[in-house]
Amino acid sequence: MRRDATTMRKVLTLVLVATATTADETIPGVRLTRDDTDTTHTFADLWHDAGEQQDWVVETRRELHRTPELLFDEKQTAAKIAQVLTALQVNFTTGWAKNTKRAELAAKGFVSGEGGTGIVAQIGSGKEPCVLLRADIDGLPIHENVDSPWKSTEDGRMHACGHDGHTAMLLGAAAVLKRREAEIKGTIRLIWQPAEEGGAGGKRMVEEGVLSMEPKPQAAFGFHQWPFLPLGSIGGRPGPMLAATELFDIVVSGVGGHAAMPHHVKDPIVAAAHVVTALQAIAARETDPLSSAVVSVTMFHAGDAYNVIPQGARIGGTLRSLSTEGLQSLRDRVDAVVHATALAHRCNASIAWSADAYPPTMNDPELWKWATEIAAPASTENEVRVIDPTMGGEDFAFYAQEIPSVFLALGQGAKSFAPEPGLEFDTTVTVHNGRFVLHEDLLRRGVALHAHLALSYLDRAASP
Ligand SMILES: [Zn+2]
Ligand SMILES: [Zn+2]
């Protein structure tokens, strides 16, 4: 472990053992010991254990859902996670993922907090081998359009990507694993990471040493709820699963003037319009039709009067590719096309990229093969489906580019989810939508599968 100031601060904030309010029940209904002395941990064993945690995991998720917090501002969320871990007598450190790119995020239109809202817990021997489980904790700036007793109380903020569920299921896994601590052959590091939604919180965690501190994890696993797959199924793919993403802001600068005398100006609107058109050819005419590239212009702002040609025009959008090299070549081509097109229209252009482009989320092929065999009994289909990659981004990629990792999609799609009498929801609605609903039956599966993958991985790593 590095002995710099940050590390020392973390050591000092280490929470050792909390004083339990009752002998063996620190969260109502959750005991810290098991009656069962069986130390096998098949998926069925862990499914059983996860069932015992189900009620408070659901309740915790509902509590988190009521108070979503945005990028690097997840203070209440972090406090809740710390409270549960303390009750479970799990060792953890707080203060992870400082927001070192606040100004750059603001330049891209993101409102972000100061960070330090990440949490890292450890269960097991404290020695190698080590495996990492990751959950993301942030919500989105979206108005919730679902009426439920646990509807967001924060207008304009919503857990519309299910990170409340990810957070709760990893807390449930902490409870299951803590009760089996004696049978863990090494160390399980559990991390709750802020700012997945555009803030590269995962990158901050890696920079602060979550993968390099001792014991170093040899593998990482992460889950995302998936409304596009039926409830109970599990999916993923070896290699690229989610895209590398980049955001761009282009300013086309000309010379403004009277709209009636265009020969006295250098019109940035016409130049910018040609830029937008020229950008379309990069994906359509330059990219191998069998590979994947997205160049989407999503913003165009210029001018504010009928009779004035403005000085400049602004264009924004996003690039997507399934490889780091592919993303770089898109960047190179956007750069060349934008400058040359602006110049052809006697204007200049500048481009601002994002502070932290996301790499593609890559599932390590060898670990994938092993993990899908382990995860198969967790699926109602008794196998892990191979699904198509998506061009969405995911900052689990920052761990996956450092150590062998597997990211799995947990199917949650159902036309009817009735959590309580009188409530019925469709959980096939896509993420990042005000009508998105997390299917809570998913939580038990996530709890059990987190624990099953971690315990099985360490069994394998520890055996000669
Ligand atoms: Zn999302
Ligand atoms: Zn998400």
Side-chain angles (χ1 to χ4, degrees):
M1 186 182 281
R2 290 174 304 135
R3 288 282 159 191
D4 59 15
T6 313
T7 306
M8 286 313 290
R9 245 189 336 273
K10 280 170 191 156
V11 170
L12 290 172
T13 55
L14 182 74
V15 176
L16 290 170
V17 178
T19 312
T21 48
T22 63
D24 189 35
E25 190 173 305
T26 51
I27 299 172
V30 179
R31 290 169 49 215
L32 299 175
T33 56
R34 300 165 62 226
D35 297 329
D36 197 348
T37 52
D38 177 11
T39 57
T40 59
H41 34 251
T42 62
F43 181 74
D45 295 324
L46 296 161
W47 178 252
H48 167 269
D49 290 8
E52 293 182 354
Q53 314 297 326
Q54 175 80 345
D55 290 348
W56 74 265
V57 170
V58 168
E59 200 41 57
T60 302
R61 178 263 153 176
R62 290 179 182 179
E63 199 180 322
L64 294 166
H65 193 82
R66 285 188 193 99
T67 52
E69 297 173 292
L70 305 183
L71 296 186
F72 290 116
D73 203 29
E74 306 89 342
K75 296 191 198 83
Q76 289 183 74
T77 307
K80 177 67 191 172
I81 296 164
Q83 181 201 333
V84 173
L85 292 174
T86 302
L88 294 173
Q89 302 188 2
V90 170
N91 291 349
F92 64 94
T93 54
T94 59
W96 287 82
K98 299 273 188 303
N99 186 6
T100 53
K101 301 274 178 78
R102 204 170 179 180
E104 292 89 335
L105 286 169
K108 281 279 178 285
F110 291 103
V111 176
S112 65
E114 60 192 18
T117 41
I119 291 185
V120 177
Q122 266 181 204
I123 303 174
S125 68
K127 300 191 177 83
E128 287 191 352
C130 176
V131 64
L132 185 142
L133 303 174
R134 172 270 203 177
D136 44 11
I137 67 173
D138 54 324
L140 283 158
I142 290 175
H143 177 77
E144 178 157 17
N145 278 321
V146 181
D147 279 321
S148 71
W150 46 93
K151 182 176 182 171
S152 171
T153 57
E154 310 293 326
D155 193 26
R157 284 192 239 154
M158 179 188 176
H159 269 296
C161 205
H163 299 182
D164 50 341
H166 303 165
T167 299
M169 65 174 73
L170 192 58
L171 285 170
V176 167
L177 291 167
K178 183 66 184 174
R179 293 166 84 205
R180 290 177 172 269
E181 191 160 32
E183 66 196 73
I184 297 175
K185 298 194 181 95
T187 303
I188 300 167
R189 183 167 299 149
L190 304 92
I191 68 173
W192 286 266
Q193 171 229 295
E196 191 285 321
E197 299 287 0
K203 188 174 184 188
R204 302 287 90 83
M205 299 288 283
V206 172
E207 286 169 352
E208 292 177 16
V210 79
L211 301 181
S212 56
M213 65 195 255
E214 298 292 342
K216 290 190 185 73
Q218 283 93 48
F221 297 101
F223 303 153
H224 206 293
Q225 56 73 25
W226 218 255
F228 321 105
L229 285 174
L231 178 70
S233 66
I234 300 173
R237 59 180 295 107
M241 179 158 160
L242 290 117
T245 71
E246 176 63 279
L247 310 177
F248 60 81
D249 283 287
I250 298 166
V251 175
V252 177
S253 305
V255 175
H258 200 298
M261 303 164 200
H263 55 299
H264 289 313
V265 308
K266 294 176 181 173
D267 189 343
I269 293 183
V270 173
H274 277 277
V275 165
V276 173
T277 305
L279 288 175
Q280 306 312 308
I282 297 173
R285 303 282 75 196
E286 296 182 24
T287 305
D288 181 339
L290 298 181
S291 48
S292 305
V294 175
V295 179
S296 284
V297 174
T298 57
M299 296 180 279
F300 191 120
H301 303 289
D304 49 20
Y306 291 102
N307 56 357
V308 178
I309 291 167
Q311 285 289 118
R314 296 165 55 86
I315 302 165
T318 183
L319 309 178
R320 307 287 162 119
S321 171
L322 289 176
S323 71
T324 302
E325 305 72 41
L327 189 69
Q328 187 54 47
S329 75
L330 286 179
R331 254 189 230 115
D332 292 345
R333 287 299 298 144
V334 167
D335 190 72
V337 166
V338 166
H339 285 105
T341 307
L343 201 59
H345 295 271
R346 300 178 300 142
C347 292
N348 293 310
S350 63
I351 306 177
W353 306 104
S354 44
D356 295 296
Y358 283 19
T361 301
M362 305 290 280
N363 283 334
D364 178 79
E366 192 273 329
L367 188 64
W368 162 265
K369 197 162 168 290
W370 174 85
T372 51
E373 282 168 23
I374 297 297
S379 166
T380 49
E381 299 169 337
N382 223 27
E383 64 173 2
V384 175
R385 286 193 197 191
V386 175
I387 59 174
D388 289 335
T390 95
M391 299 309 275
E394 163 61 57
D395 86 350
F396 183 77
F398 289 109
Y399 311 96
Q401 72 175 2
E402 301 293 333
I403 59 174
S405 299
V406 166
F407 194 66
L408 291 173
L410 304 189
Q412 73 135 27
K415 283 292 171 196
S416 171
F417 163 51
E420 283 181 6
L423 290 180
E424 188 177 4
F425 303 113
D426 175 355
T427 61
T428 64
V429 174
T430 182
V431 295
H432 292 213
N433 181 306
R435 299 190 50 72
F436 170 79
V437 175
L438 183 92
H439 200 310
E440 291 172 338
D441 290 0
L442 175 79
L443 299 173
R444 180 179 179 182
R445 194 170 308 279
V447 169
L449 187 55
H450 268 309
H452 185 47
L453 278 169
L455 290 168
S456 304
Y457 182 84
L458 293 179
D459 285 349
R460 182 180 80 145
S463 64

